[in-house]
Amino acid sequence: MTSTYVATAGEREKRGGKKPDLVESDRMRAENSLGRKLVVPAIVVMLIVTAFPMLRALYLSLFTYSLTAPEDREFVGLSNYLTALTDPLFWRDTGVTVLYMLVTVAVELVIGFAFAMVMHRVIFARGVIRTSILIPYGIITVVSGFAWQFAFSYQNGFVNGWLPFLDSDFNWFGESTPAIIAIMISEIWKTTPFMSLLLLAGLAQVSEDMLEAAQVDGATWWQRLWKVILPNMRAAIMVAVLFRALDAYRIFDNIAVMTAGAVNTESISFLTYRQTIEQFQLGIGSALSVLLFLSVLLIAWLIVKLFKVDLAAARQEG
Amino acid sequence: MTQPSYATAPGARRRRRGRGLAAVAIGVLAAGLLSACSGDSGKPVLNWYVNPDGVTTLTELAKQCSTDDYDIEIQLLPSGATDQRTQLARRLAAKDGSTDLMSLDPVFVAEFANAGWLEPLPEDVAATATDEDVLEGAADTVTWDDKVYAFPQWANTQVLWYRKSLAEAGGLDMAKPVTWEQVIDAAAEGGGTVGVQANKYEAYVVWINALVQGAGGNIITDNEAGKDASVDIDSEAGAAAATVIQKLARSEAAQPDLTTSNEGTSLGLMFGDSPGEFMTNWTFVYKNYEGLIESGDITQEDFDDLGWARYPATVEGEESKPPIGGIDIGVGAYSKHRDFALEAGECVTTSEAQVQLAVNEGLMPARASAYDAPELTEAYPADLLELFRTSIDSGGPRPKSAYYATISAALQSVWHSPRSVDPDKTPGESAKFLKDVLEGKALL
Amino acid sequence: MRKVGTLLGTLLILVWCLLPVAWIISLSFKSQTAITNGSPGFFPSGGDGAGWQNYKDVLDNEQFRRAIFNSIGISLIATLLSVIVATLAAYAIARLEFRGKKFVLTMALAIAMFPVVSLVGPLFDMWRTFGLYDTWPGLIIPYMSFTLPLAIWTLSAFFREIPWELEQAAQVDGATPWQAFRKVIVPLAAPGVFTAAILTFFFAWNDFVFGISLTSTESARPIPAALSFFVGADPFNRPASLLAAGAVVSTIPIIIIVLIFQRKIVAGLTSGAVKG
């Protein structure tokens, strides 16, 4: 499938390439300037909220600076980074965050793929399925967090009653492991539809001819899945994984609502939030912000490199 | 008090549910309309940020204390103490001119005063705000660096609530001061439980602090040194506190949700089919249970079985230090109407205002004279009122420090979960962690 | 066999998607007393039902009403502005050759990945300096920034598919440029613009981090933040059933949008994200 992408992209290049030959350079210059004028507002809005605060975070991260004791502000160089990187809490939270990311993305990929297969096949009630699958996607994450928190509550929930191997007063949020599981379930429930829709788009691009040919050749269902469907969906899968992994790494809402970071369920985003917004430690908080940003970049880079996702190719295809 | 909001659950929590919310809504709405009218006449409006505790009476007070010169409008803060502090601090850090009056948890007075966010009271006003009549525990919470920064509005304290029949079954003589050890053993013996607040939040620190002080120690001393305060929790007293927590966590008397328990979770375990419980909790408990008779949730007989005693001692022979809470009224340093706000602050904290809060909402007065008000002596048994008053007067406040929020969070982080508390390790670990955090060497 | 599998799969999807929704609706009908006393189980059991009381209480609550008003206002304005800005940019990207095109696309991609939390600290600091803290614009601006990437992608994907030659053809046939644009291009572009608008609206409606960090009163606090601060008559525990009623109310707009536009959203999600 990737090769198809590239081919179409190539065609487009060619088509686009013809233009300059046909028109005089004045027209080109006008187009160039109009193009820039049209994108300027978008660039400005995107930069106000990202570039400037990020630069400010870089600057503040070199100080000890607490809003509640502003006169104690002091330049400390890189020592905030040193503190963070040598701190067990930072690494514990990073570990927990990576765990959230790996588990939720893996589970979502499997369930999302199954859903996509069903949606691809189904010929009846498409509207109903589409509507219901969009509800978790559209629902507020905070609401999803509440719904699951109450569902797991032993006082007012139903989960303990439905799971025969649990005591009716089992406290899901009293310990780390069950609390993390509960948070993951809320996260998975809310985001699987997104995953399945991305995969559905990928499935639609797998050629039916190839599948039929494989069936004629006597390939089992399993073989067709692994040899035909999945390889042909690689681009879609990788884009979905990239998006969701980066999203999952930034997990915040569910944790804030369900445990507020208690019993070691805190993610790196939540740690950063607590430092800057709750503790008013703008210095170390900014250092954490920068580290969080770098780790997101690192993950994006890893996924792109490891799985050779060709985003540019995927883009041009649109 | 910790979760000031929590301390009231005004009167009867089950009974008042829907009505309470409606009242809040109407109150806020009324305040909104009021301000809308006053906006036309150009009369200044003072914003009073209140925790959602006794809002009906606070709205009433706001109305009573509005004058020809200004109107007071209520603004509601979120329910948790930590959230309340965050919301207020963010406004004040933004030098907000419309934060005129605020209801503050006493533990945050020092931090806010140190940051320059609170207007110090002028000497004459300060003298009245902390005169002889104000209970010592309460007066102490509003002073920082030799100045007075707020008006004590009401005071809170914890006592030991228990089922008389359970104490009997457990063979505990409640006429004498009891220790935590005795309470836990008696509860286990009688088939009951012990209710505390041990979720990872402010009230857990209330418990730890009371235990440490009850053993004659302190979490920190030399508080004025701010970051350089001396951390003293790694001591015999710290170990004694950890011993109590460990004992309860390992005891049969521990409640199933010990690690997520709060002021509300153990209320339901007092009566019903079980043998009941011992519970350390704030003053609101009495009105709460009294209200349940009317709604039919408990019987008069049940209620008569409710007993109260001074907060348990950490170690035998040492007098306990009951927790102190309540609300102080501070004036925003950036307020555009500071003089009006000071006047209004004085008005909403008078002895009469305190009686109103006590009678309507179960929020105990910070002034001794208010305890003698006939409305109050009618509403509460005399020995209970006396217990409240002495507890507040001789209670142990949490550390007064500009870094209190940090200290509290650091303690919570090491001491939670209660099941992991170990007298040999926890105090030492928390002392080291607290020092590192204060020096900026560790993340919190 | 295959049919049975698909049918089972369909049922599974429906249960997966709707069970928690059904749960939160069911919870919203449990009475507040039942919640305090503990009322385990999926449905309100005998005597625990509250009828519409929770909904009445929630809608009577001034703070919640303000939050709905804020959320609708802020989300709509952010959506409108974001779509306008994104349409301009997407048109340029899809139709024009200019230097810096790649830069715009890369930047949009980078911003889509940006960890929102790492911005709120400095943003809070900036907003309090500019006086944008706790105001509508203080939320509208960040919502625009973070929805622009998705909107630009979705729209440029749609715009590429538009046969722009038709516009010229119409002009040749005697239509004015404006008529050609309005009668030919607008109908073709509208679905894309709609999709981008819906996705932007979802983002703004869902946001929590900015909502709790950049506001402090009901003057700008949106629904998710208001829900998380919601206080019932029982200050100890979250008023589960009241919150559930609030949650249901906050989900109604989403369900309406989904019901009307499900086809477009699916198309937009798949084209916007996978293809570009």
Side-chain angles (χ1 to χ4, degrees):
Chain A
M1 213 53 211
T2 324
S3 58
T4 335
Y5 275 131
V6 176
T8 14
E11 271 165 39
R12 268 174 203 283
E13 286 300 305
K14 260 180 260 152
R15 244 191 288 153
K18 263 185 227 155
K19 243 185 210 163
D21 300 337
L22 294 173
V23 290
E24 63 273 42
S25 66
D26 267 2
R27 169 95 193 253
M28 260 173 68
R29 221 171 292 139
E31 194 171 309
N32 199 357
S33 118
L34 176 64
R36 288 187 174 187
K37 270 182 205 144
L38 289 178
V39 294
V40 160
I43 293 183
V44 169
V45 175
M46 288 195 279
L47 285 185
I48 297 179
V49 178
T50 50
F52 188 68
M54 212 58 225
L55 289 176
R56 188 157 166 86
L58 267 174
Y59 171 74
L60 285 178
S61 70
L62 305 176
F63 294 84
T64 54
Y65 178 29
S66 162
L67 266 188
T68 53
E71 68 284 356
D72 293 350
R73 177 161 148 172
E74 195 186 330
F75 182 80
V76 290
L78 293 176
S79 78
N80 280 332
Y81 291 94
L82 195 71
T83 305
L85 290 173
T86 54
D87 196 279
L89 182 65
F90 177 80
W91 290 109
R92 189 197 77 195
D93 286 358
T94 304
V96 171
T97 312
V98 170
L99 184 72
Y100 282 126
M101 180 179 75
L102 292 180
V103 175
T104 55
V105 174
V107 174
E108 283 165 23
L109 194 59
V110 174
I111 303 180
F113 187 75
F115 282 10
M117 293 283 276
V118 172
M119 283 193 284
H120 187 57
R121 290 249 192 86
V122 84
I123 29 179
F124 51 90
R126 283 200 148 173
V128 175
I129 298 181
R130 257 197 309 239
T131 307
S132 23
I133 206 142
L134 282 171
I135 289 176
Y137 172 77
I139 226 166
I140 299 176
T141 314
V142 169
V143 168
S144 162
F146 279 135
W148 287 102
Q149 189 197 15
F150 298 141
F152 283 109
S153 146
Y154 70 95
Q155 286 149 319
N156 293 302
F158 62 90
V159 174
N160 283 357
W162 286 13
L163 297 178
F165 51 88
L166 283 180
D167 284 344
S168 65
D169 62 355
F170 179 73
N171 185 355
W172 282 81
F173 300 101
E175 275 166 81
S176 193
T177 313
I180 286 180
I181 293 175
I183 290 171
M184 282 177 175
I185 289 179
S186 174
E187 184 78 5
I188 291 171
W189 176 72
K190 152 108 184 124
T191 47
T192 298
F194 177 70
M195 190 73 126
S196 66
L197 289 172
L198 295 193
L199 295 176
L200 179 63
L203 259 184
Q205 289 167 353
V206 178
S207 103
E208 284 294 325
D209 297 346
M210 242 195 281
L211 278 173
E212 270 168 39
Q215 197 158 13
V216 170
D217 289 348
T220 62
W221 182 85
W222 192 247
Q223 283 170 326
R224 271 178 287 151
L225 177 68
W226 283 96
K227 296 278 156 79
V228 183
I229 300 181
L230 289 179
N232 275 298
M233 284 178 65
R234 236 196 73 199
I237 293 176
M238 288 315 149
V239 170
V241 166
L242 178 69
F243 270 71
R244 268 302 303 147
L246 294 180
D247 212 28
Y249 193 79
R250 297 174 285 183
I251 180 171
F252 177 87
D253 300 11
N254 274 314
I255 299 173
V257 168
M258 295 173 80
T259 62
V263 290
N264 303 342
T265 54
E266 180 170 273
S267 71
I268 202 81
S269 278
F270 199 78
L271 175 70
T272 308
Y273 170 83
R274 277 202 303 113
Q275 299 299 320
T276 46
I277 299 291
E278 278 184 23
Q279 309 272 355
F280 306 110
Q281 302 292 343
L282 292 188
I284 187 105
S286 298
L288 286 173
S289 299
V290 174
L291 289 174
L292 175 61
F293 179 56
L294 291 180
S295 52
V296 166
L297 278 187
L298 179 73
I299 290 170
W301 181 80
L302 274 179
I303 294 178
V304 170
K305 283 292 151 196
L306 275 180
F307 302 110
K308 305 203 174 57
V309 182
D310 194 347
L311 281 170
R315 237 227 79 71
Q316 291 293 327
E317 156 75 19
Chain B
M1 65 163 295
T2 57
Q3 306 282 82
S5 39
Y6 290 12
T8 36
R13 43 198 284 280
R14 290 178 198 170
R15 178 173 50 103
R16 303 183 36 162
R17 200 129 321 249
R19 260 203 285 150
L21 191 78
V24 170
I26 292 164
V28 174
L29 200 69
L33 288 173
L34 222 68
S35 77
C37 301
S38 61
D40 296 335
S41 60
K43 200 160 136 191
V45 170
L46 301 181
N47 288 299
W48 178 14
Y49 287 85
V50 303
N51 50 307
D53 224 3
V55 178
T56 320
T57 305
L58 293 178
T59 310
E60 185 59 32
L61 284 176
K63 211 185 297 167
Q64 287 169 12
C65 290
S66 294
T67 67
D68 291 343
D69 294 327
Y70 54 85
D71 285 314
I72 306 175
E73 188 182 323
I74 297 265
Q75 305 282 351
L76 211 52
L77 291 168
S79 64
T82 314
D83 282 340
Q84 290 162 10
R85 163 183 170 272
T86 311
Q87 295 292 314
L88 283 174
R90 270 194 241 153
R91 300 215 126 237
L92 293 163
K95 298 202 175 11
D96 174 38
S98 67
T99 309
D100 303 302
L101 287 167
M102 53 201 130
S103 294
L104 283 173
D105 192 303
V107 286
F108 299 131
V109 171
E111 179 182 51
F112 280 33
N114 194 58
W117 294 341
L118 292 180
E119 181 72 9
L121 309 191
E123 255 172 53
D124 51 325
V125 183
T128 337
T130 55
D131 62 18
E132 295 285 280
D133 188 33
V134 179
L135 297 175
E136 207 182 308
D140 187 52
T141 63
V142 293
T143 49
W144 172 251
D145 212 9
D146 297 331
K147 287 201 199 93
V148 177
Y149 282 92
F151 304 90
Q153 189 185 38
W154 54 274
N156 208 344
T157 188
Q158 291 200 353
V159 302
L160 178 66
W161 304 96
Y162 63 96
R163 190 103 171 246
K164 289 175 191 160
S165 54
L166 175 64
E168 216 166 282
L172 191 56
D173 175 14
M174 299 302 294
K176 291 182 295 190
V178 292
T179 65
W180 276 98
E181 199 183 339
Q182 291 164 349
V183 167
I184 296 167
D185 286 340
E189 175 76 30
T193 57
V194 177
V196 292
Q197 293 86 41
N199 195 0
K200 190 177 182 179
Y201 78 128
E202 182 57 29
Y204 187 35
V205 180
V206 171
W207 188 29
I208 297 170
N209 184 63
L211 288 172
V212 173
Q213 293 203 329
N218 272 300
I219 292 171
I220 63 163
T221 51
D222 196 12
N223 307 0
E224 279 77 12
K227 282 185 190 176
D228 305 319
S230 143
V231 175
D232 295 340
I233 192 160
D234 187 14
S235 59
E236 256 176 60
T243 310
V244 169
I245 295 174
Q246 188 189 42
K247 183 174 170 67
L248 177 61
R250 291 184 179 176
S251 161
E252 282 167 42
Q255 295 179 348
D257 51 4
L258 174 69
T259 56
T260 50
S261 53
N262 64 32
E263 288 93 337
T265 52
S266 47
L267 284 176
L269 295 165
M270 184 64 80
F271 303 109
D273 304 330
S274 70
E277 62 175 343
F278 290 90
M279 166 177 72
T280 49
N281 211 333
W282 305 97
T283 56
F284 75 92
V285 168
Y286 181 82
K287 283 281 160 194
N288 176 48
Y289 285 137
E290 195 184 47
L292 294 185
I293 309 174
E294 194 187 311
S295 67
D297 287 300
I298 64 171
T299 61
Q300 181 66 43
E301 212 174 303
D302 285 333
F303 187 65
D304 291 339
D305 199 22
L306 181 71
W308 44 83
R310 191 187 167 99
Y311 198 79
T314 314
V315 287
E316 182 97 55
E318 182 107 27
E319 196 177 46
S320 69
K321 289 281 190 182
I324 296 276
I327 282 294
D328 298 329
I329 306 294
V331 171
Y334 308 107
S335 160
K336 289 188 207 94
H337 313 288
R338 264 169 286 178
D339 291 338
F340 288 156
L342 282 169
E343 205 179 298
E346 209 166 2
C347 175
V348 296
T349 54
T350 56
S351 200
E352 294 75 43
Q354 297 192 6
V355 172
Q356 277 187 53
L357 277 168
V359 174
N360 301 340
E361 312 283 354
L363 308 174
M364 288 299 131
R367 289 185 169 272
S369 58
Y371 284 84
D372 301 328
E375 298 101 305
L376 208 52
T377 48
E378 242 165 66
Y380 290 90
D383 63 328
L384 183 58
L385 273 184
E386 183 56 23
L387 177 63
F388 288 159
R389 207 164 57 106
T390 49
S391 293
I392 294 166
D393 223 15
S394 61
R398 281 158 281 163
K400 235 191 324 173
S401 158
Y403 292 87
Y404 178 74
T406 311
I407 294 167
S408 168
L411 280 179
Q412 291 171 36
S413 146
V414 179
W415 288 65
H416 199 265
S417 127
R419 295 198 200 286
S420 68
V421 169
D422 176 347
D424 297 329
K425 276 195 266 163
T426 311
E429 256 170 49
S430 66
K432 182 176 176 306
F433 183 60
L434 183 48
K435 269 182 223 154
D436 284 350
V437 167
L438 285 174
E439 285 165 20
K441 278 196 272 181
L443 282 174
L444 186 52
Chain C
M1 175 63 207
R2 223 175 122 149
K3 258 192 182 154
V4 174
T6 313
L7 190 68
L8 270 178
T10 308
L11 282 178
L12 209 69
I13 294 181
L14 293 183
V15 169
W16 170 280
C17 295
L18 300 181
L19 182 83
V21 180
W23 155 243
I24 200 94
I25 294 174
S26 161
L27 183 62
S28 71
F29 286 104
K30 286 188 181 179
S31 76
Q32 293 168 53
T33 323
I35 292 294
T36 315
N37 295 339
S39 137
F42 195 89
F43 295 106
S45 54
D48 285 354
W52 295 100
Q53 191 55 46
N54 290 322
Y55 289 90
K56 278 192 199 116
D57 285 353
V58 159
L59 294 174
D60 273 350
N61 185 305
E62 172 71 6
Q63 297 221 319
F64 188 76
R65 279 207 308 259
R66 283 299 311 241
I68 295 181
F69 178 64
N70 289 335
S71 262
I72 292 178
I74 291 172
S75 302
L76 283 180
I77 296 175
T79 304
L80 184 71
L81 294 177
S82 177
V83 167
I84 291 174
V85 173
T87 306
L88 298 179
Y91 176 81
I93 287 165
R95 284 276 288 156
L96 304 174
E97 285 306 319
F98 62 98
R99 259 166 293 155
K101 195 190 238 186
K102 203 151 196 176
F103 171 73
V104 181
L105 288 172
T106 320
M107 191 168 85
L109 189 71
I111 286 172
M113 296 177 185
F114 220 95
V116 172
V117 169
S118 64
L119 293 178
V120 292
L123 208 54
F124 161 69
D125 224 23
M126 271 169 68
W127 271 195
R128 72 191 175 97
T129 321
F130 298 157
L132 286 176
Y133 178 66
D134 203 19
T135 63
W136 278 25
L139 287 179
I140 291 172
I141 296 171
Y143 289 173
M144 283 177 68
S145 319
F146 279 91
T147 52
L148 273 175
L150 189 63
I152 292 177
W153 288 356
T154 314
L155 282 170
S156 58
F158 264 90
F159 287 174
R160 256 171 236 235
E161 300 296 321
I162 292 178
W164 295 93
E165 305 83 45
L166 282 180
E167 189 183 23
Q168 277 160 346
Q171 283 185 42
V172 170
D173 288 348
T176 65
W178 170 245
Q179 280 172 331
F181 178 74
R182 212 177 63 88
K183 301 267 181 189
V184 181
I185 299 303
V186 168
L188 287 170
V193 175
F194 249 110
T195 313
I198 291 164
L199 297 181
T200 304
F201 185 84
F202 275 14
F203 177 95
W205 192 257
N206 183 44
D207 164 76
F208 181 57
V209 178
F210 290 123
I212 48 171
S213 314
L214 302 178
T215 68
S216 72
T217 57
E218 62 260 41
S219 60
R221 188 177 290 149
I223 289 182
L227 282 177
S228 80
F229 288 143
F230 209 79
V231 192
D234 172 2
F236 308 109
N237 294 304
R238 281 205 171 117
S241 56
L242 266 185
L243 268 174
V248 172
V249 172
S250 76
T251 309
I252 290 173
I254 296 293
I255 292 185
I256 293 176
I257 292 176
V258 164
L259 278 175
I260 302 177
F261 299 110
Q262 34 105 351
R263 207 180 283 258
K264 290 195 181 104
I265 305 173
V266 171
L269 268 180
T270 47
S271 70
V274 173
K275 295 187 194 159

